[in-house]
Amino acid sequence: MSRRFTAGAVATATTLALLGTVPAGPAGAAPGASGDVTEYTVVAEAGTGTAEATAAIEAAGGTVTGSTADVGMYQVVTDDAEFAAKVAAAPALLGAAERRAIGYAPRQRFDAVEQEHRIAGAASAGAAGRRGTRMDPLDDKLWGLPMMRADKSRRVEPGDRRVTVGILDTGVDGQHPDLKPNFSYSLSRNFAPDIPDIDGPCEVESCLDPVDRDDSGHGTHVAGTIGAAANRFGLSGVAPNVTLVALKGGQDSGYFFLDSVVNALVYAGDAGIDVVNMSFYIDPWLYNCLDNPADSAEEQASQRATIEAVNRALRYAHKRGVTLVGSLGNNHEDLGDPRPDSSSPNYGGTPRLRTIDNDTCWDLPVEGAHVIGVSALGPSKAKADYSNYGTEEISVAAPGGWFRDGYGTPTHRTYDNTILSSYPLHVLQEEGVVDADGNIVPDAESYVFKECTSAGVCGYYTYLQGTSMASPHVSGVAALIVSRYGKRDGRRGGLTLDPDKVERHLYRTAADTACPEPRLVSYANEGRSPEWDAYCDGGAGFNGFYGHGIVDAFAAVTRPLHHH
């Protein structure tokens, strides 16, 4: 997910533990002392009107500063240390979540999953050109395109500009020359103003970055996989002619606030966005639970509010024609049988051992309403060791990269096993792999690429891996389905197709892939402990590693759409 996006960036508690860091929440007053002003996001009970909810919030000691009435969500400030408890006790209100990040995309220099190849110090297998027909110069490095037959689908359906794909992420570099031809400034929005205490100094006076800026890189990488232009330059995406829309829901620092995510989803529904890619998951709790006994009453109410608000927003967007795609996450676990969690909350409280009840706890947003969950594969089509899995939540599988794939062959532990896509120049410069003059430093020439137009405009590309890289491959195919079979949207222009039809067609056309034998897969050869062992349950038509199969772009645009 991206949470650097989940993989993409995978921001999981496991990732944070591997990095040896625990992010601090936004600086500000913590509740507890009268006079301290604290921000909350309050969620009203279903059926509660705005006037009733506002009155209940005021009675609890809060002042409403903003609202998203369509999903019953309110932004509130208060100096009452007992506000959260009062909200939890109010019949009209579901709960109050202190305005701390609910999703996190780690902004360390290296992400333990997504940039494992850089941490380990890898080489290239020198295998460019080995895996398919190219449209753009770097396409020979995109092994994922032929795996899902996207190299063939574009000859039939490269995508329609009237189809819009929202990248709910840390932003998109709309100035990147491979993205600019398809980037929509008019539709893109920033729902996450910079917060200096956690993001550093604001780049602009208003603290609201332009809609074409990405200070993380994750969203730009995701966008390139979905829809980098086929322009004989750089590389091309799965759907190279669709329109890309930035829905910035994450802070520059990688945090995701509940209200930013919900507002982005509501906007996507209102604006007629056709597909939304979500490569993040929700913190500070690895799993949001209804009533986990290890949590306080206020913590339980906060998680209930998060669960309800996110699901309301997902249903709102789906009802208005948005196909929702999410990464399964990089925590190497069966989402239907989660391990006990000792990492949560990873800020804003004391981590403690929590037994996770699968019936009352959710990994959001991928376990939320109407979300197509995607696992990650390496070039061999094996499930990547880090990828979550399980028959309960998986929908389809897609290329996400696996640095350790190919054990016993020359490709093992090489960059070529991961996913190449677009990346912002200034982020690469901050990471020290491109110098001030735009030149790639010698040590990075095997994993950073530079392509320049005849006019001297240059674009940069690098490798990442994760379920955050897998979900945009599926979002691209969903956009192709809407392009091929969608009908004109009389209300908003463009094309539209019922998300349920998109989902069914995606499943129907995916390539059935059976579980490996033996079904219990050990990653010991790849250097992993038994905790990483994964059991694949199910048949060839549907199983825990591949879901309905490996997504197939060519089949998706050549097989007739069933309308029932």
Side-chain angles (χ1 to χ4, degrees), residues 109 118 213 423-441 448 450 460:
R109 179 176 180 185
R118 290 174 63 179
R213 185 172 178 88
Y423 219 68
L425 168 60
H426 73 282
V427 176
L428 291 170
Q429 290 174 324
E430 289 172 4
E431 293 177 354
V433 296
V434 175
D435 66 22
D437 295 324
N439 300 310
I440 301 168
V441 303
V448 177
K450 176 182 179 180
Y460 293 80

Side-chain angles (χ1 to χ4, degrees), residues 150-499:
D151 54 336
K152 296 182 178 179
S153 64
R154 60 187 55 186
R155 300 171 187 170
V156 178
E157 177 57 76
D160 190 302
R161 296 203 181 281
R162 294 174 293 174
V163 174
T164 50
V165 182
I167 296 95
L168 179 40
D169 216 293
T170 52
V172 173
D173 178 7
Q175 294 297 319
H176 192 291
D178 238 347
L179 303 180
K180 189 172 183 177
N182 294 339
F183 185 79
S184 173
Y185 291 87
S186 61
L187 287 174
S188 295
R189 295 287 187 277
N190 182 351
F191 298 95
D194 289 347
I195 301 172
D197 288 338
I198 60 171
D199 297 321
C202 296
E203 291 87 2
V204 296
E205 185 175 353
S206 68
C207 289
L208 189 69
D209 288 342
V211 295
D212 61 347
R213 185 172 178 88
D214 176 14
D215 289 324
S216 164
H218 188 271
T220 298
H221 197 280
V222 166
T225 295
I226 295 170
N231 52 2
R232 301 183 183 277
F233 173 88
L235 49 74
S236 54
V238 174
N241 282 5
V242 300
T243 295
L244 301 173
V245 179
L247 303 175
K248 188 178 188 297
Q251 304 298 134
D252 292 350
S253 53
Y255 291 99
F256 279 68
F257 287 102
L258 175 61
D259 54 342
S260 299
V261 172
V262 168
N263 286 334
L265 287 168
V266 169
Y267 169 78
D270 291 341
I273 305 301
D274 295 295
V275 181
V276 168
N277 185 87
M278 299 176 291
S279 290
F280 63 90
Y281 73 76
I282 292 179
D283 286 327
W285 308 95
L286 183 59
Y287 286 87
N288 280 269
C289 302
L290 295 177
D291 52 5
N292 195 300
D295 304 333
S296 70
E298 288 80 9
E299 289 172 334
Q300 291 175 358
S302 173
Q303 291 172 70
R304 287 194 294 269
T306 296
I307 292 166
E308 182 66 17
V310 171
N311 277 292
R312 285 180 190 174
L314 292 169
R315 293 188 184 102
Y316 184 93
H318 178 268
K319 185 177 180 180
R320 285 156 181 79
V322 182
T323 297
L324 301 160
V325 182
S327 52
L328 278 183
N330 304 335
N331 202 39
H332 61 277
E333 70 180 330
D334 182 344
L335 290 179
D337 186 20
R339 298 188 300 271
D341 170 32
S342 60
S343 67
S344 301
N346 57 12
Y347 56 78
T350 303
R352 78 291 303 246
L353 183 66
R354 305 167 79 225
T355 298
I356 303 302
D357 174 21
N358 190 54
D359 292 332
T360 59
C361 299
W362 290 269
D363 178 359
L364 294 170
V366 73
E367 290 191 295
H370 305 294
V371 179
I372 297 168
V374 186
S375 67
L377 308 178
S380 70
K381 298 185 180 180
K383 184 190 81 69
D385 56 1
Y386 58 79
S387 179
N388 287 348
Y389 59 97
T391 55
E392 181 177 297
E393 296 301 333
I394 193 170
S395 301
V396 290
W402 184 23
F403 173 61
R404 303 186 187 208
D405 203 357
Y407 177 77
T409 76
T411 64
H412 179 55
R413 299 179 72 92
T414 59
Y415 296 119
D416 308 80
N417 287 338
T418 61
I419 304 298
L420 183 68
S421 190
S422 44
Y423 219 68
L425 168 60
H426 73 282
V427 176
L428 291 170
Q429 290 174 324
E430 289 172 4
E431 293 177 354
V433 296
V434 175
D435 66 22
D437 295 324
N439 300 310
I440 301 168
V441 303
D443 288 347
E445 289 176 348
S446 59
Y447 61 84
V448 177
F449 300 89
K450 176 182 179 180
E451 291 275 313
C452 299
T453 68
S454 57
V457 178
C458 300
Y460 293 80
Y461 309 83
T462 194
Y463 290 103
L464 293 177
Q465 67 171 7
T467 56
S468 286
M469 281 63 255
S471 60
H473 284 89
V474 177
S475 293
V477 177
L480 292 179
I481 293 170
V482 180
S483 297
R484 188 70 169 167
Y485 304 107
K487 305 299 181 183
R488 182 167 179 78
D489 187 339
R491 290 190 303 123
R492 294 174 293 203
L495 298 179
T496 187
L497 186 61
D498 181 347

Side-chain angles (χ1 to χ4, degrees), residues 6-49:
T6 237
V10 146
T12 64
T14 296
T15 297
L16 297 172
L18 289 171
L19 290 169
T21 62
V22 177
S34 180
D36 289 342
V37 175
T38 304
E39 295 180 72
Y40 286 91
T41 298
V42 176
V43 180
E45 287 283 3
T48 302

